[in-house]
PDB file of all heavy atoms in Angstrom:
ATOM      1  N   PHE A 421      -2.100  -9.757   1.039  1.00  0.00           N
ATOM      2  CA  PHE A 421      -1.817 -11.107   1.514  1.00  0.00           C
ATOM      3  C   PHE A 421      -0.308 -11.273   1.581  1.00  0.00           C
ATOM      4  O   PHE A 421       0.404 -10.943   0.632  1.00  0.00           O
ATOM      5  CB  PHE A 421      -2.421 -12.151   0.565  1.00  0.00           C
ATOM      6  CG  PHE A 421      -1.980 -13.556   0.883  1.00  0.00           C
ATOM      7  CD1 PHE A 421      -2.540 -14.249   1.939  1.00  0.00           C
ATOM      8  CD2 PHE A 421      -1.001 -14.168   0.126  1.00  0.00           C
ATOM      9  CE1 PHE A 421      -2.129 -15.545   2.234  1.00  0.00           C
ATOM     10  CE2 PHE A 421      -0.582 -15.457   0.408  1.00  0.00           C
ATOM     11  CZ  PHE A 421      -1.144 -16.145   1.464  1.00  0.00           C
ATOM     12  N   ASN A 422       0.192 -11.770   2.713  1.00  0.00           N
ATOM     13  CA  ASN A 422       1.624 -12.014   2.881  1.00  0.00           C
ATOM     14  C   ASN A 422       1.809 -13.369   3.542  1.00  0.00           C
ATOM     15  O   ASN A 422       1.117 -13.698   4.505  1.00  0.00           O
ATOM     16  CB  ASN A 422       2.278 -10.936   3.755  1.00  0.00           C
ATOM     17  CG  ASN A 422       2.289  -9.604   3.061  1.00  0.00           C
ATOM     18  OD1 ASN A 422       2.892  -9.460   2.015  1.00  0.00           O
ATOM     19  ND2 ASN A 422       1.608  -8.622   3.638  1.00  0.00           N
ATOM     20  N   ALA A 423       2.758 -14.148   3.016  1.00  0.00           N
ATOM     21  CA  ALA A 423       3.081 -15.445   3.599  1.00  0.00           C
ATOM     22  C   ALA A 423       4.598 -15.538   3.713  1.00  0.00           C
ATOM     23  O   ALA A 423       5.334 -15.027   2.856  1.00  0.00           O
ATOM     24  CB  ALA A 423       2.548 -16.566   2.725  1.00  0.00           C
ATOM     25  N   GLU A 424       5.056 -16.204   4.777  1.00  0.00           N
ATOM     26  CA  GLU A 424       6.495 -16.315   5.016  1.00  0.00           C
ATOM     27  C   GLU A 424       6.806 -17.699   5.573  1.00  0.00           C
ATOM     28  O   GLU A 424       6.076 -18.210   6.424  1.00  0.00           O
ATOM     29  CB  GLU A 424       6.923 -15.243   6.004  1.00  0.00           C
ATOM     30  CG  GLU A 424       8.401 -15.104   6.181  1.00  0.00           C
ATOM     31  CD  GLU A 424       8.746 -13.910   7.044  1.00  0.00           C
ATOM     32  OE1 GLU A 424       8.771 -14.078   8.271  1.00  0.00           O
ATOM     33  OE2 GLU A 424       8.968 -12.823   6.479  1.00  0.00           O
ATOM     34  N   TYR A 425       7.868 -18.306   5.069  1.00  0.00           N
ATOM     35  CA  TYR A 425       8.309 -19.613   5.541  1.00  0.00           C
ATOM     36  C   TYR A 425       9.699 -19.460   6.143  1.00  0.00           C
ATOM     37  O   TYR A 425      10.634 -19.021   5.466  1.00  0.00           O
ATOM     38  CB  TYR A 425       8.333 -20.619   4.385  1.00  0.00           C
ATOM     39  CG  TYR A 425       8.907 -21.959   4.775  1.00  0.00           C
ATOM     40  CD1 TYR A 425       8.208 -22.817   5.613  1.00  0.00           C
ATOM     41  CD2 TYR A 425      10.154 -22.345   4.318  1.00  0.00           C
ATOM     42  CE1 TYR A 425       8.732 -24.034   5.984  1.00  0.00           C
ATOM     43  CE2 TYR A 425      10.693 -23.570   4.687  1.00  0.00           C
ATOM     44  CZ  TYR A 425       9.980 -24.413   5.514  1.00  0.00           C
ATOM     45  OH  TYR A 425      10.508 -25.613   5.875  1.00  0.00           O
ATOM     46  N   LEU A 426       9.844 -19.801   7.420  1.00  0.00           N
ATOM     47  CA  LEU A 426      11.124 -19.723   8.121  1.00  0.00           C
ATOM     48  C   LEU A 426      11.826 -21.071   8.053  1.00  0.00           C
ATOM     49  O   LEU A 426      11.202 -22.112   8.227  1.00  0.00           O
ATOM     50  CB  LEU A 426      10.915 -19.347   9.586  1.00  0.00           C
ATOM     51  CG  LEU A 426      10.329 -17.961   9.840  1.00  0.00           C
ATOM     52  CD1 LEU A 426       9.891 -17.845  11.282  1.00  0.00           C
ATOM     53  CD2 LEU A 426      11.341 -16.904   9.500  1.00  0.00           C
ATOM     54  N   PHE A 427      13.146 -21.040   7.797  1.00  0.00           N
ATOM     55  CA  PHE A 427      13.905 -22.284   7.751  1.00  0.00           C
ATOM     56  C   PHE A 427      15.343 -22.017   8.171  1.00  0.00           C
ATOM     57  O   PHE A 427      15.724 -20.886   8.446  1.00  0.00           O
ATOM     58  CB  PHE A 427      13.850 -22.913   6.351  1.00  0.00           C
ATOM     59  CG  PHE A 427      14.475 -22.083   5.279  1.00  0.00           C
ATOM     60  CD1 PHE A 427      15.792 -22.297   4.907  1.00  0.00           C
ATOM     61  CD2 PHE A 427      13.758 -21.089   4.633  1.00  0.00           C
ATOM     62  CE1 PHE A 427      16.368 -21.530   3.917  1.00  0.00           C
ATOM     63  CE2 PHE A 427      14.331 -20.321   3.646  1.00  0.00           C
ATOM     64  CZ  PHE A 427      15.647 -20.543   3.282  1.00  0.00           C
ATOM     65  N   GLY A 428      16.140 -23.049   8.178  1.00  0.00           N
ATOM     66  CA  GLY A 428      17.538 -22.918   8.575  1.00  0.00           C
ATOM     67  C   GLY A 428      17.705 -23.176  10.060  1.00  0.00           C
ATOM     68  O   GLY A 428      16.743 -23.274  10.819  1.00  0.00           O
ATOM     69  N   LYS A 429      18.955 -23.295  10.453  1.00  0.00           N
ATOM     70  CA  LYS A 429      19.261 -23.503  11.858  1.00  0.00           C
ATOM     71  C   LYS A 429      18.803 -22.279  12.644  1.00  0.00           C
ATOM     72  O   LYS A 429      19.111 -21.152  12.293  1.00  0.00           O
ATOM     73  CB  LYS A 429      20.769 -23.705  12.024  1.00  0.00           C
ATOM     74  CG  LYS A 429      21.170 -24.265  13.344  1.00  0.00           C
ATOM     75  CD  LYS A 429      22.646 -24.568  13.357  1.00  0.00           C
ATOM     76  CE  LYS A 429      23.002 -25.344  14.592  1.00  0.00           C
ATOM     77  NZ  LYS A 429      24.413 -25.674  14.631  1.00  0.00           N
ATOM     78  N   CYS A 430      18.053 -22.510  13.669  1.00  0.00           N
ATOM     79  CA  CYS A 430      17.482 -21.434  14.516  1.00  0.00           C
ATOM     80  C   CYS A 430      16.507 -20.546  13.745  1.00  0.00           C
ATOM     81  O   CYS A 430      16.239 -19.410  14.156  1.00  0.00           O
ATOM     82  CB  CYS A 430      18.593 -20.587  15.143  1.00  0.00           C
ATOM     83  SG  CYS A 430      19.691 -21.509  16.211  1.00  0.00           S
ATOM     84  N   ARG A 431      16.024 -20.989  12.620  1.00  0.00           N
ATOM     85  CA  ARG A 431      15.021 -20.247  11.821  1.00  0.00           C
ATOM     86  C   ARG A 431      15.451 -18.808  11.551  1.00  0.00           C
ATOM     87  O   ARG A 431      14.735 -17.852  11.846  1.00  0.00           O
ATOM     88  CB  ARG A 431      13.662 -20.295  12.499  1.00  0.00           C
ATOM     89  CG  ARG A 431      13.105 -21.686  12.622  1.00  0.00           C
ATOM     90  CD  ARG A 431      11.697 -21.640  13.170  1.00  0.00           C
ATOM     91  NE  ARG A 431      11.112 -22.956  13.223  1.00  0.00           N
ATOM     92  CZ  ARG A 431      10.329 -23.461  12.274  1.00  0.00           C
ATOM     93  NH1 ARG A 431      10.057 -22.759  11.215  1.00  0.00           N
ATOM     94  NH2 ARG A 431       9.832 -24.662  12.402  1.00  0.00           N
ATOM     95  N   THR A 432      16.618 -18.660  10.999  1.00  0.00           N
ATOM     96  CA  THR A 432      17.126 -17.323  10.720  1.00  0.00           C
ATOM     97  C   THR A 432      16.873 -16.878   9.281  1.00  0.00           C
ATOM     98  O   THR A 432      16.968 -15.693   8.982  1.00  0.00           O
ATOM     99  CB  THR A 432      18.629 -17.254  11.000  1.00  0.00           C
ATOM    100  OG1 THR A 432      19.292 -18.278  10.266  1.00  0.00           O
ATOM    101  CG2 THR A 432      18.912 -17.424  12.478  1.00  0.00           C
ATOM    102  N   TRP A 433      16.551 -17.788   8.380  1.00  0.00           N
ATOM    103  CA  TRP A 433      16.259 -17.440   6.991  1.00  0.00           C
ATOM    104  C   TRP A 433      14.770 -17.566   6.724  1.00  0.00           C
ATOM    105  O   TRP A 433      14.088 -18.399   7.298  1.00  0.00           O
ATOM    106  CB  TRP A 433      17.017 -18.362   6.033  1.00  0.00           C
ATOM    107  CG  TRP A 433      18.469 -18.046   5.945  1.00  0.00           C
ATOM    108  CD1 TRP A 433      19.475 -18.625   6.654  1.00  0.00           C
ATOM    109  CD2 TRP A 433      19.074 -17.059   5.117  1.00  0.00           C
ATOM    110  NE1 TRP A 433      20.672 -18.074   6.317  1.00  0.00           N
ATOM    111  CE2 TRP A 433      20.469 -17.105   5.362  1.00  0.00           C
ATOM    112  CE3 TRP A 433      18.590 -16.149   4.200  1.00  0.00           C
ATOM    113  CZ2 TRP A 433      21.357 -16.259   4.716  1.00  0.00           C
ATOM    114  CZ3 TRP A 433      19.492 -15.323   3.555  1.00  0.00           C
ATOM    115  CH2 TRP A 433      20.847 -15.376   3.814  1.00  0.00           C
ATOM    116  N   ALA A 434      14.283 -16.733   5.820  1.00  0.00           N
ATOM    117  CA  ALA A 434      12.869 -16.792   5.457  1.00  0.00           C
ATOM    118  C   ALA A 434      12.701 -16.472   3.979  1.00  0.00           C
ATOM    119  O   ALA A 434      13.438 -15.671   3.410  1.00  0.00           O
ATOM    120  CB  ALA A 434      12.061 -15.799   6.290  1.00  0.00           C
ATOM    121  N   ILE A 435      11.747 -17.144   3.373  1.00  0.00           N
ATOM    122  CA  ILE A 435      11.326 -16.830   2.010  1.00  0.00           C
ATOM    123  C   ILE A 435       9.871 -16.400   2.109  1.00  0.00           C
ATOM    124  O   ILE A 435       9.062 -17.046   2.781  1.00  0.00           O
ATOM    125  CB  ILE A 435      11.463 -18.052   1.085  1.00  0.00           C
ATOM    126  CG1 ILE A 435      12.932 -18.421   0.919  1.00  0.00           C
ATOM    127  CG2 ILE A 435      10.824 -17.777  -0.265  1.00  0.00           C
ATOM    128  CD1 ILE A 435      13.160 -19.655   0.096  1.00  0.00           C
ATOM    129  N   GLY A 436       9.538 -15.306   1.442  1.00  0.00           N
ATOM    130  CA  GLY A 436       8.181 -14.783   1.562  1.00  0.00           C
ATOM    131  C   GLY A 436       7.567 -14.423   0.225  1.00  0.00           C
ATOM    132  O   GLY A 436       8.254 -14.238  -0.780  1.00  0.00           O
ATOM    133  N   TYR A 437       6.251 -14.323   0.224  1.00  0.00           N
ATOM    134  CA  TYR A 437       5.484 -13.895  -0.944  1.00  0.00           C
ATOM    135  C   TYR A 437       4.482 -12.849  -0.487  1.00  0.00           C
ATOM    136  O   TYR A 437       3.840 -12.998   0.557  1.00  0.00           O
ATOM    137  CB  TYR A 437       4.747 -15.083  -1.584  1.00  0.00           C
ATOM    138  CG  TYR A 437       3.820 -14.670  -2.698  1.00  0.00           C
ATOM    139  CD1 TYR A 437       4.326 -14.323  -3.941  1.00  0.00           C
ATOM    140  CD2 TYR A 437       2.450 -14.594  -2.503  1.00  0.00           C
ATOM    141  CE1 TYR A 437       3.486 -13.931  -4.961  1.00  0.00           C
ATOM    142  CE2 TYR A 437       1.597 -14.207  -3.508  1.00  0.00           C
ATOM    143  CZ  TYR A 437       2.117 -13.878  -4.741  1.00  0.00           C
ATOM    144  OH  TYR A 437       1.287 -13.473  -5.752  1.00  0.00           O
ATOM    145  N   GLY A 438       4.335 -11.800  -1.272  1.00  0.00           N
ATOM    146  CA  GLY A 438       3.370 -10.754  -0.954  1.00  0.00           C
ATOM    147  C   GLY A 438       2.495 -10.438  -2.148  1.00  0.00           C
ATOM    148  O   GLY A 438       2.956 -10.446  -3.291  1.00  0.00           O
ATOM    149  N   PHE A 439       1.221 -10.183  -1.896  1.00  0.00           N
ATOM    150  CA  PHE A 439       0.254  -9.838  -2.942  1.00  0.00           C
ATOM    151  C   PHE A 439      -0.568  -8.659  -2.445  1.00  0.00           C
ATOM    152  O   PHE A 439      -1.126  -8.698  -1.351  1.00  0.00           O
ATOM    153  CB  PHE A 439      -0.667 -11.039  -3.221  1.00  0.00           C
ATOM    154  CG  PHE A 439      -1.770 -10.752  -4.187  1.00  0.00           C
ATOM    155  CD1 PHE A 439      -1.547 -10.857  -5.552  1.00  0.00           C
ATOM    156  CD2 PHE A 439      -3.019 -10.368  -3.747  1.00  0.00           C
ATOM    157  CE1 PHE A 439      -2.565 -10.600  -6.450  1.00  0.00           C
ATOM    158  CE2 PHE A 439      -4.043 -10.106  -4.640  1.00  0.00           C
ATOM    159  CZ  PHE A 439      -3.812 -10.221  -5.993  1.00  0.00           C
ATOM    160  N   ASP A 440      -0.638  -7.601  -3.241  1.00  0.00           N
ATOM    161  CA  ASP A 440      -1.405  -6.405  -2.889  1.00  0.00           C
ATOM    162  C   ASP A 440      -2.264  -5.990  -4.077  1.00  0.00           C
ATOM    163  O   ASP A 440      -1.793  -5.960  -5.217  1.00  0.00           O
ATOM    164  CB  ASP A 440      -0.483  -5.239  -2.524  1.00  0.00           C
ATOM    165  CG  ASP A 440       0.346  -5.534  -1.301  1.00  0.00           C
ATOM    166  OD1 ASP A 440      -0.259  -5.876  -0.270  1.00  0.00           O
ATOM    167  OD2 ASP A 440       1.573  -5.413  -1.382  1.00  0.00           O
ATOM    168  N   TYR A 441      -3.518  -5.636  -3.800  1.00  0.00           N
ATOM    169  CA  TYR A 441      -4.431  -5.168  -4.839  1.00  0.00           C
ATOM    170  C   TYR A 441      -5.173  -3.942  -4.312  1.00  0.00           C
ATOM    171  O   TYR A 441      -5.725  -3.968  -3.212  1.00  0.00           O
ATOM    172  CB  TYR A 441      -5.429  -6.259  -5.228  1.00  0.00           C
ATOM    173  CG  TYR A 441      -6.461  -5.804  -6.224  1.00  0.00           C
ATOM    174  CD1 TYR A 441      -6.106  -5.541  -7.537  1.00  0.00           C
ATOM    175  CD2 TYR A 441      -7.786  -5.625  -5.844  1.00  0.00           C
ATOM    176  CE1 TYR A 441      -7.045  -5.125  -8.453  1.00  0.00           C
ATOM    177  CE2 TYR A 441      -8.735  -5.215  -6.754  1.00  0.00           C
ATOM    178  CZ  TYR A 441      -8.366  -4.962  -8.057  1.00  0.00           C
ATOM    179  OH  TYR A 441      -9.294  -4.532  -8.959  1.00  0.00           O
ATOM    180  N   LEU A 442      -5.177  -2.873  -5.082  1.00  0.00           N
ATOM    181  CA  LEU A 442      -5.870  -1.642  -4.713  1.00  0.00           C
ATOM    182  C   LEU A 442      -6.751  -1.220  -5.876  1.00  0.00           C
ATOM    183  O   LEU A 442      -6.297  -1.188  -7.027  1.00  0.00           O
ATOM    184  CB  LEU A 442      -4.873  -0.523  -4.391  1.00  0.00           C
ATOM    185  CG  LEU A 442      -5.478   0.846  -4.119  1.00  0.00           C
ATOM    186  CD1 LEU A 442      -6.229   0.844  -2.792  1.00  0.00           C
ATOM    187  CD2 LEU A 442      -4.413   1.912  -4.115  1.00  0.00           C
ATOM    188  N   HIS A 443      -8.015  -0.925  -5.599  1.00  0.00           N
ATOM    189  CA  HIS A 443      -8.945  -0.477  -6.631  1.00  0.00           C
ATOM    190  C   HIS A 443      -9.760   0.678  -6.079  1.00  0.00           C
ATOM    191  O   HIS A 443     -10.418   0.557  -5.046  1.00  0.00           O
ATOM    192  CB  HIS A 443      -9.875  -1.624  -7.037  1.00  0.00           C
ATOM    193  CG  HIS A 443     -10.793  -1.263  -8.156  1.00  0.00           C
ATOM    194  ND1 HIS A 443     -11.765  -2.111  -8.582  1.00  0.00           N
ATOM    195  CD2 HIS A 443     -10.887  -0.168  -8.935  1.00  0.00           C
ATOM    196  CE1 HIS A 443     -12.434  -1.556  -9.573  1.00  0.00           C
ATOM    197  NE2 HIS A 443     -11.919  -0.366  -9.793  1.00  0.00           N
ATOM    198  N   TYR A 444      -9.696   1.825  -6.751  1.00  0.00           N
ATOM    199  CA  TYR A 444     -10.473   3.015  -6.393  1.00  0.00           C
ATOM    200  C   TYR A 444     -11.533   3.193  -7.464  1.00  0.00           C
ATOM    201  O   TYR A 444     -11.219   3.335  -8.650  1.00  0.00           O
ATOM    202  CB  TYR A 444      -9.553   4.225  -6.299  1.00  0.00           C
ATOM    203  CG  TYR A 444     -10.249   5.500  -5.931  1.00  0.00           C
ATOM    204  CD1 TYR A 444     -10.772   5.677  -4.659  1.00  0.00           C
ATOM    205  CD2 TYR A 444     -10.384   6.531  -6.843  1.00  0.00           C
ATOM    206  CE1 TYR A 444     -11.416   6.836  -4.304  1.00  0.00           C
ATOM    207  CE2 TYR A 444     -11.019   7.703  -6.497  1.00  0.00           C
ATOM    208  CZ  TYR A 444     -11.538   7.857  -5.237  1.00  0.00           C
ATOM    209  OH  TYR A 444     -12.183   9.010  -4.895  1.00  0.00           O
TER     210      TYR A 444
END
Side-chain angles (χ1 to χ4, degrees):
F421 171 78
N422 292 298
E424 189 173 87
Y425 174 71
L426 295 167
F427 63 95
K429 195 174 190 179
C430 299
R431 297 186 177 264
T432 54
W433 285 95
I435 294 177
Y437 174 76
F439 175 85
D440 297 305
Y441 176 70
L442 174 70
H443 184 185
Y444 180 69

